[in-house]
Amino acid sequence: TPFINCTVTFFSFAIFGLMPLLPLLVARGSNLPWKDTYIMISGILTFFFLLVLGFSKSIITMTKWYWSCFETIAIGAISAGAAYGIGKALG
């Protein structure tokens, strides 16, 4: 049903979107210096959770897991690049 689809989408964005931000939130909350290490950890977590999301999607849609993972990571990378570009342009 549309209600179930929107509920699953909402929680998917909420949970999977928060995970890559956790290292940065921890560093900021404990007044640790912002180092490249936290950015790198966040990038690795982003890749991992996009992989998990793609694999989960392949189970639900009954598609090949590697294609679903590739597609999800590619869309995530394009989205991240667009968000970075817009943020950089707006200053």
Side-chain angles (χ1 to χ4, degrees):
T1 65
F3 179 76
I4 292 173
N5 285 343
C6 75
T7 303
V8 168
T9 301
F10 171 78
F11 284 108
S12 176
F13 274 111
I15 293 168
F16 283 95
L18 180 64
M19 294 303 156
L21 296 175
L22 285 178
L24 303 175
L25 293 174
V26 168
R28 189 77 182 240
S30 46
N31 293 325
L32 295 173
W34 285 84
K35 293 186 177 181
D36 292 336
T37 305
Y38 296 106
I39 303 295
M40 185 175 63
I41 291 170
S42 181
I44 292 169
L45 281 175
T46 300
F47 181 83
F48 174 74
F49 281 105
L50 285 171
L51 192 68
V52 169
L53 188 61
F55 187 76
S56 301
K57 185 178 80 168
S58 74
I59 292 171
I60 293 169
T61 59
M62 308 264 257
T63 58
K64 295 180 178 161
W65 67 269
Y66 52 86
W67 178 251
S68 183
C69 290
F70 171 76
E71 181 182 42
T72 303
I73 290 169
I75 291 171
I78 291 167
S79 300
Y84 177 80
I86 291 168
K88 193 76 165 168
L90 296 177

